mmCIF file of all heavy atoms in Angstrom:
data_model
loop_
_atom_site.group_PDB
_atom_site.id
_atom_site.type_symbol
_atom_site.label_atom_id
_atom_site.label_comp_id
_atom_site.label_asym_id
_atom_site.label_seq_id
_atom_site.Cartn_x
_atom_site.Cartn_y
_atom_site.Cartn_z
ATOM 1 N N GLY A 383 -44.777 -39.128 5.202
ATOM 2 C CA GLY A 383 -44.182 -39.526 6.406
ATOM 3 C C GLY A 383 -43.663 -40.992 6.373
ATOM 4 O O GLY A 383 -42.739 -41.321 6.932
ATOM 5 N N THR A 384 -44.507 -41.815 5.673
ATOM 6 C CA THR A 384 -44.057 -43.180 5.597
ATOM 7 C C THR A 384 -42.771 -43.316 4.944
ATOM 8 O O THR A 384 -41.814 -44.189 5.314
ATOM 9 C CB THR A 384 -45.179 -44.070 4.814
ATOM 10 O OG1 THR A 384 -46.370 -43.995 5.492
ATOM 11 C CG2 THR A 384 -44.674 -45.516 4.731
ATOM 12 N N LEU A 385 -42.623 -42.587 3.810
ATOM 13 C CA LEU A 385 -41.355 -42.675 2.927
ATOM 14 C C LEU A 385 -40.259 -42.109 4.014
ATOM 15 O O LEU A 385 -39.006 -42.705 3.961
ATOM 16 C CB LEU A 385 -41.471 -41.798 1.814
ATOM 17 C CG LEU A 385 -40.280 -41.633 0.946
ATOM 18 C CD1 LEU A 385 -39.916 -43.026 0.316
ATOM 19 C CD2 LEU A 385 -40.479 -40.552 -0.230
ATOM 20 N N LEU A 386 -40.363 -41.087 4.678
ATOM 21 C CA LEU A 386 -39.332 -40.524 5.491
ATOM 22 C C LEU A 386 -38.911 -41.509 6.597
ATOM 23 O O LEU A 386 -37.772 -41.549 6.954
ATOM 24 C CB LEU A 386 -39.792 -39.137 6.014
ATOM 25 C CG LEU A 386 -39.817 -37.968 4.955
ATOM 26 C CD1 LEU A 386 -40.401 -36.886 5.641
ATOM 27 C CD2 LEU A 386 -38.491 -37.729 4.366
ATOM 28 N N VAL A 387 -40.007 -42.176 7.152
ATOM 29 C CA VAL A 387 -39.706 -43.141 8.293
ATOM 30 C C VAL A 387 -38.727 -44.222 7.695
ATOM 31 O O VAL A 387 -37.678 -44.654 8.323
ATOM 32 C CB VAL A 387 -40.993 -43.669 8.826
ATOM 33 C CG1 VAL A 387 -40.697 -44.858 9.752
ATOM 34 C CG2 VAL A 387 -41.808 -42.674 9.570
ATOM 35 N N LEU A 388 -39.085 -44.817 6.556
ATOM 36 C CA LEU A 388 -38.299 -45.765 5.962
ATOM 37 C C LEU A 388 -36.857 -45.314 5.801
ATOM 38 O O LEU A 388 -35.930 -46.144 6.123
ATOM 39 C CB LEU A 388 -38.999 -46.367 4.728
ATOM 40 C CG LEU A 388 -40.231 -47.046 4.802
ATOM 41 C CD1 LEU A 388 -40.830 -47.202 3.438
ATOM 42 C CD2 LEU A 388 -40.158 -48.283 5.520
ATOM 43 N N PHE A 389 -36.636 -44.140 5.165
ATOM 44 C CA PHE A 389 -35.235 -43.654 5.002
ATOM 45 C C PHE A 389 -34.550 -43.386 6.300
ATOM 46 O O PHE A 389 -33.412 -43.697 6.472
ATOM 47 C CB PHE A 389 -35.307 -42.411 4.105
ATOM 48 C CG PHE A 389 -35.200 -42.820 2.647
ATOM 49 C CD1 PHE A 389 -36.343 -43.023 1.877
ATOM 50 C CD2 PHE A 389 -33.966 -42.846 2.006
ATOM 51 C CE1 PHE A 389 -36.331 -43.188 0.473
ATOM 52 C CE2 PHE A 389 -33.968 -43.182 0.599
ATOM 53 C CZ PHE A 389 -35.146 -43.298 -0.102
ATOM 54 N N ALA A 390 -35.327 -42.827 7.315
ATOM 55 C CA ALA A 390 -34.619 -42.393 8.504
ATOM 56 C C ALA A 390 -34.115 -43.608 9.236
ATOM 57 O O ALA A 390 -33.074 -43.669 9.778
ATOM 58 C CB ALA A 390 -35.615 -41.510 9.336
ATOM 59 N N VAL A 391 -35.092 -44.569 9.534
ATOM 60 C CA VAL A 391 -34.648 -45.729 10.194
ATOM 61 C C VAL A 391 -33.612 -46.526 9.503
ATOM 62 O O VAL A 391 -32.701 -47.061 10.164
ATOM 63 C CB VAL A 391 -35.951 -46.643 10.523
ATOM 64 C CG1 VAL A 391 -35.565 -47.897 11.290
ATOM 65 C CG2 VAL A 391 -36.927 -45.856 11.372
ATOM 66 N N ALA A 392 -33.680 -46.677 8.208
ATOM 67 C CA ALA A 392 -32.695 -47.464 7.418
ATOM 68 C C ALA A 392 -31.395 -46.834 7.533
ATOM 69 O O ALA A 392 -30.365 -47.622 7.846
ATOM 70 C CB ALA A 392 -33.152 -47.511 6.029
ATOM 71 N N SER A 393 -31.209 -45.457 7.428
ATOM 72 C CA SER A 393 -30.034 -44.770 7.389
ATOM 73 C C SER A 393 -29.310 -44.957 8.708
ATOM 74 O O SER A 393 -28.121 -45.216 9.030
ATOM 75 C CB SER A 393 -30.078 -43.450 6.846
ATOM 76 O OG SER A 393 -30.931 -42.654 7.815
ATOM 77 N N THR A 394 -30.066 -44.753 9.832
ATOM 78 C CA THR A 394 -29.674 -44.819 11.271
ATOM 79 C C THR A 394 -29.158 -46.200 11.576
ATOM 80 O O THR A 394 -28.037 -46.351 12.101
ATOM 81 C CB THR A 394 -30.717 -44.268 12.213
ATOM 82 O OG1 THR A 394 -31.275 -42.967 11.799
ATOM 83 C CG2 THR A 394 -30.206 -44.212 13.618
ATOM 84 N N LEU A 395 -29.912 -47.267 11.239
ATOM 85 C CA LEU A 395 -29.569 -48.606 11.524
ATOM 86 C C LEU A 395 -28.287 -49.072 10.721
ATOM 87 O O LEU A 395 -27.573 -49.757 11.344
ATOM 88 C CB LEU A 395 -30.678 -49.456 11.346
ATOM 89 C CG LEU A 395 -31.760 -49.548 12.386
ATOM 90 C CD1 LEU A 395 -33.021 -50.406 11.971
ATOM 91 C CD2 LEU A 395 -31.287 -50.058 13.679
ATOM 92 N N THR A 396 -28.253 -48.616 9.498
ATOM 93 C CA THR A 396 -27.056 -48.917 8.719
ATOM 94 C C THR A 396 -25.766 -48.378 9.290
ATOM 95 O O THR A 396 -24.763 -49.056 9.562
ATOM 96 C CB THR A 396 -27.247 -48.487 7.280
ATOM 97 O OG1 THR A 396 -28.342 -49.054 6.706
ATOM 98 C CG2 THR A 396 -26.002 -48.664 6.516
ATOM 99 N N VAL A 397 -25.817 -47.116 9.778
ATOM 100 C CA VAL A 397 -24.595 -46.680 10.546
ATOM 101 C C VAL A 397 -24.346 -47.353 11.778
ATOM 102 O O VAL A 397 -23.152 -47.642 12.056
ATOM 103 C CB VAL A 397 -24.737 -45.036 10.636
ATOM 104 C CG1 VAL A 397 -23.664 -44.511 11.479
ATOM 105 C CG2 VAL A 397 -24.890 -44.450 9.370
ATOM 106 N N ASN A 398 -25.383 -47.552 12.494
ATOM 107 C CA ASN A 398 -25.212 -48.340 13.780
ATOM 108 C C ASN A 398 -24.604 -49.693 13.684
ATOM 109 O O ASN A 398 -23.688 -50.160 14.399
ATOM 110 C CB ASN A 398 -26.608 -48.475 14.428
ATOM 111 C CG ASN A 398 -26.440 -48.710 15.910
ATOM 112 O OD1 ASN A 398 -25.411 -48.480 16.612
ATOM 113 N ND2 ASN A 398 -27.546 -49.287 16.609
ATOM 114 N N VAL A 399 -24.963 -50.419 12.623
ATOM 115 C CA VAL A 399 -24.423 -51.775 12.446
ATOM 116 C C VAL A 399 -23.014 -51.698 12.076
ATOM 117 O O VAL A 399 -22.307 -52.500 12.387
ATOM 118 C CB VAL A 399 -25.321 -52.513 11.465
ATOM 119 C CG1 VAL A 399 -24.672 -53.834 10.998
ATOM 120 C CG2 VAL A 399 -26.726 -52.827 12.042
ATOM 121 N N ARG A 400 -22.766 -50.720 11.227
ATOM 122 C CA ARG A 400 -21.330 -50.595 10.708
ATOM 123 C C ARG A 400 -20.395 -50.251 11.930
ATOM 124 O O ARG A 400 -19.146 -50.693 11.843
ATOM 125 C CB ARG A 400 -21.131 -49.544 9.678
ATOM 126 C CG ARG A 400 -21.639 -50.093 8.160
ATOM 127 C CD ARG A 400 -21.774 -48.937 7.259
ATOM 128 N NE ARG A 400 -22.110 -49.447 5.958
ATOM 129 C CZ ARG A 400 -22.660 -48.703 5.044
ATOM 130 N NH1 ARG A 400 -22.877 -47.560 5.212
ATOM 131 N NH2 ARG A 400 -22.991 -49.231 3.840
ATOM 132 N N ARG A 401 -20.926 -49.623 12.867
ATOM 133 C CA ARG A 401 -20.076 -49.231 13.982
ATOM 134 C C ARG A 401 -19.755 -50.513 14.866
ATOM 135 O O ARG A 401 -18.806 -50.601 15.625
ATOM 136 C CB ARG A 401 -20.747 -48.333 14.931
ATOM 137 C CG ARG A 401 -21.040 -46.926 14.329
ATOM 138 C CD ARG A 401 -21.744 -46.083 15.343
ATOM 139 N NE ARG A 401 -21.134 -45.806 16.498
ATOM 140 C CZ ARG A 401 -21.666 -45.248 17.662
ATOM 141 N NH1 ARG A 401 -23.021 -44.804 17.493
ATOM 142 N NH2 ARG A 401 -21.044 -45.146 18.693
ATOM 143 N N ARG A 402 -20.514 -51.528 14.616
ATOM 144 C CA ARG A 402 -20.335 -52.748 15.534
ATOM 145 C C ARG A 402 -19.583 -53.964 14.758
ATOM 146 O O ARG A 402 -19.966 -55.121 15.026
ATOM 147 C CB ARG A 402 -21.707 -53.205 16.127
ATOM 148 C CG ARG A 402 -22.318 -52.086 16.816
ATOM 149 C CD ARG A 402 -23.844 -52.525 17.035
ATOM 150 N NE ARG A 402 -23.891 -53.712 17.917
ATOM 151 C CZ ARG A 402 -25.143 -54.235 18.218
ATOM 152 N NH1 ARG A 402 -26.156 -53.723 17.819
ATOM 153 N NH2 ARG A 402 -25.126 -55.388 19.001
#
Side-chain angles (χ1 to χ4, degrees):
T384 301
L385 178 65
L386 292 174
V387 170
L388 293 173
F389 269 93
V391 177
S393 62
T394 303
L395 282 172
T396 299
V397 174
N398 195 22
V399 169
R400 281 174 177 153
R401 292 176 60 187
R402 302 170 62 187

